[in-house]
Amino acid sequence: MLILGNGRVVTRDEKKPYLENGAVVIEGTTILKVGTLEEVKVAYPEAEFIDAKGKVIMPAFINAHEHIYSAFARGISVNGYAPKGFLDILDGMWWTIDRNLTLQDTYLSAMATYIDSIKNGVTTVFDHHASFGSIRDSLFHIEKAAKETGVRSCLCYEVSDRDGKEKARESVMENAAFIQHALKDDTGMIAGMMGMHAQFTISDETMELAAKHKPDEVGYHIHVAEGIEDLHHCLKHYGKRIVDRLMDHEILGEKTLLGHCIYINSHEMDLVKETGTMVVHNPESNMGNACGCPPTMELVHRGILTGLGTDGYTHDMTESYKVANVLHKHHLCDPTTAWEEVPQMLFDGNAKIAKRYFKQDLGILREGATADVIVVDYDPLTPFHADNVNGHILFGMTGSDVVTTIANGKVLMKDRELQFIDEAKVKADCRQAAAALWNRINS
């Protein structure tokens, strides 16, 4: 039994949203009690105690859209790379990297991403993987890293025809094998989906193949209308908009997660809403790729389950919170927007998305919920209470303020020290592998 206490406890539980000097009691993988420090220490005097020292105790973050395979892009220079638009960025950078990844590269990329996630207080990741140079067993190599680091993961492989039908088929089968494996897992730490890149790289034949090998228990994780080129392609080749095409292929549904959704219209939003399909917003990536700003505020107002992700651009969910907040204010020329919608996506939407793939209650500190808890080194200089917590997070905290991270009841980081991972060795291995990758790309 473990008590994490002597801190300002932010629970995300409407019945008990905030405790000025509180504690969380953890037994096994589950939260046994949330209460005042005094009552908890009296009730469980023999429990191990981690002193938060007045810092903020809150639920760990969930990242609803990651790209582990992009880890080795940091600092890369690709010969001849001079993109003039989104398609050039995809082919010249991201597809070039993924075509050259080995299985060991994928594993190390996952280790690096999970380490950064832990250090930023993220304990649940929905990843969307691509490594067209080494497809088979790639998801299992990511799972290996997930188990070694203790980060809960929902994984999928990015099905695409961009490198030919045979690799598209291999991608579908990698998803199928991992999904079946994940469905048998009873730890609550691994799940699988049928991944897809974007409709402009996927033929009807490949969509049908994916549907044939997808069990009913899971849905799809697919990029939708991230660039205007995606929409133009669908209109030209299929005579319909993207969400209509996905609807025709029965891809929409409560288990399906749509990434981006920048160029969708009101009719398409209706279909997303009617089918209970999920959407994830990735603000930094959209801005960095100059793809545009999605109608995310309208999605939220329509009651569409919308979450927040990083798209591999960062692993710090507070950074994505900050960027989304200013992006939509700027885009809509409305300083009153995004105050409520973005934290709703991050703290409520992401937890509900996770609940569709993991049976546990995540993103909340209450009795019976899974013990995913973080301690943030934040000492407020203004009054701090249940009604203004989000403002303090938005303007006062960063991911690097996280000092302790607990996932599924296991302490992964304590006082900024990783507990079960040799970070120096992982980074040394990553530098060696990344250098070799860059040499392959530029040779």
Side-chain angles (χ1 to χ4, degrees):
M1 185 178 293
L2 172 67
I3 296 175
L4 179 59
N6 187 27
R8 305 170 188 270
V9 179
V10 178
T11 68
R12 299 293 167 187
D13 180 2
E14 292 181 358
K15 296 179 180 178
K16 190 192 296 184
Y18 178 68
L19 292 163
E20 181 70 20
N21 186 16
V24 179
V25 183
I26 299 170
E27 186 168 43
T29 63
T30 306
I31 294 174
L32 183 64
K33 184 176 179 60
V34 178
T36 67
L37 177 62
E38 182 180 2
E39 67 178 334
V40 161
K41 292 199 81 171
V42 169
Y44 307 100
E46 303 301 321
E48 178 187 351
F49 181 68
I50 295 180
D51 189 352
K53 301 176 183 177
K55 299 176 176 67
V56 177
I57 300 170
M58 54 192 275
F61 292 107
I62 298 162
N63 187 343
H65 186 74
E66 258 282 15
H67 281 304
I68 282 171
Y69 81 87
S70 68
F72 289 173
R74 193 177 301 178
I76 193 173
S77 177
V78 178
N79 292 342
Y81 179 62
K84 302 212 171 26
F86 182 52
L87 296 184
D88 290 343
I89 293 171
L90 287 178
D91 191 35
M93 175 63 72
W94 304 118
W95 296 352
T96 296
I97 289 173
D98 86 56
R99 286 170 179 140
N100 285 277
L101 290 173
T102 65
L103 290 178
Q104 179 67 2
D105 291 338
T106 292
Y107 163 75
L108 288 172
S109 295
M111 289 294 293
T113 299
Y114 287 138
I115 285 173
D116 275 355
S117 296
I118 292 167
K119 293 170 75 172
N120 284 282
V122 176
T123 57
T124 300
V125 168
F126 281 70
D127 188 64
H128 197 276
H129 179 64
S131 56
F132 277 85
S134 299
I135 298 172
R136 186 173 180 180
D137 291 335
S138 57
L139 296 183
F140 293 89
H141 277 68
I142 296 175
E143 181 199 28
K144 179 174 181 280
K147 288 184 173 180
E148 289 179 11
T149 57
V151 177
R152 185 179 296 98
S153 301
C154 182
L155 307 178
C156 69
Y157 191 93
E158 181 178 288
V159 172
S160 172
D161 289 305
R162 63 180 182 256
D163 283 350
K165 292 294 184 183
E166 185 53 43
K167 292 203 171 184
R169 179 177 181 82
E170 192 177 351
S171 303
V172 170
M173 301 314 295
E174 176 65 11
N175 277 315
F178 188 79
I179 289 168
Q180 292 297 338
H181 167 73
L183 288 173
K184 296 173 184 175
D185 184 271
D186 61 359
T187 65
M189 296 298 288
I190 291 293
M193 302 177 76
M194 179 62 70
M196 289 185 165
H197 172 244
Q199 71 79 36
F200 77 92
T201 69
I202 310 171
S203 65
D204 285 345
E205 178 186 357
T206 297
M207 284 191 177
E208 290 164 5
L209 181 67
K212 179 180 178 181
H213 291 279
K214 183 195 72 65
D216 293 338
E217 296 96 320
V218 306
Y220 299 85
H221 190 167
I222 179 172
H223 298 120
V224 173
E226 183 177 1
I228 191 65
E229 301 88 348
D230 193 11
L231 173 58
H232 290 166
H233 177 278
C234 200
L235 291 171
K236 178 179 179 180
H237 292 274
Y238 301 100
K240 62 187 74 172
R241 296 184 69 91
I242 295 169
V243 176
D244 286 305
R245 185 177 180 221
L246 301 184
M247 182 76 172
D248 290 345
H249 281 276
E250 299 183 343
I251 287 173
L252 304 182
E254 292 185 352
K255 289 282 193 173
T256 288
L257 183 58
L258 311 181
H260 305 292
C261 291
I262 298 176
Y263 297 97
I264 63 172
N265 65 11
S266 180
H267 157 71
E268 290 174 289
M269 292 183 206
D270 287 341
L271 289 178
V272 173
K273 169 67 174 175
E274 290 166 10
T275 56
T277 305
M278 306 174 285
V279 174
V280 57
H281 175 39
N282 306 277
E284 295 104 323
S285 172
N286 295 162
M287 295 173 71
N289 290 327
C291 286
C293 179
T296 311
M297 299 301 98
E298 185 174 354
L299 295 175
V300 174
H301 296 161
R302 284 171 175 255
I304 293 169
L305 178 52
T306 308
L308 194 64
T310 66
D311 207 33
Y313 197 96
T314 180
H315 313 299
D316 178 358
M317 295 308 300
T318 63
E319 177 186 312
S320 294
Y321 181 1
K322 296 172 194 291
V323 174
N325 178 67
V326 294
L327 168 61
H328 293 283
K329 285 177 168 58
H330 177 76
H331 177 68
L332 297 173
C333 298
D334 181 0
T336 69
T337 197
W339 292 117
E340 295 182 359
E341 295 90 343
V342 177
Q344 178 182 328
M345 293 154 54
L346 176 57
F347 301 116
D348 184 60
N350 280 7
K352 289 178 177 175
I353 288 170
K355 183 68 172 178
R356 294 192 181 180
Y357 276 89
F358 300 101
K359 296 177 181 178
Q360 313 98 301
D361 289 329
L362 302 171
I364 191 168
L365 304 184
R366 70 179 177 205
E367 295 176 14
T370 295
D372 281 28
V373 193
I374 60 175
V375 178
V376 184
D377 186 5
Y378 178 69
D379 185 13
L381 57 88
T382 57
F384 186 104
H385 48 76
D387 295 331
N388 70 1
V389 162
N390 291 341
H392 280 277
I393 295 172
L394 178 63
F395 294 109
M397 296 183 187
T398 66
S400 61
D401 292 328
V402 175
V403 295
T404 295
T405 300
I406 299 173
N408 209 38
K410 182 178 181 181
V411 181
L412 306 183
M413 181 174 72
K414 183 180 179 183
D415 296 328
R416 291 197 175 95
E417 293 291 333
L418 296 173
Q419 299 295 288
F420 305 101
I421 306 163
D422 187 343
E423 183 179 5
K425 182 180 186 308
V426 171
K427 287 189 174 178
D429 290 344
C430 284
R431 285 190 290 271
Q432 183 176 13
L437 170 68
W438 294 6
N439 286 335
R440 289 197 297 277
I441 289 172
N442 287 318
S443 61

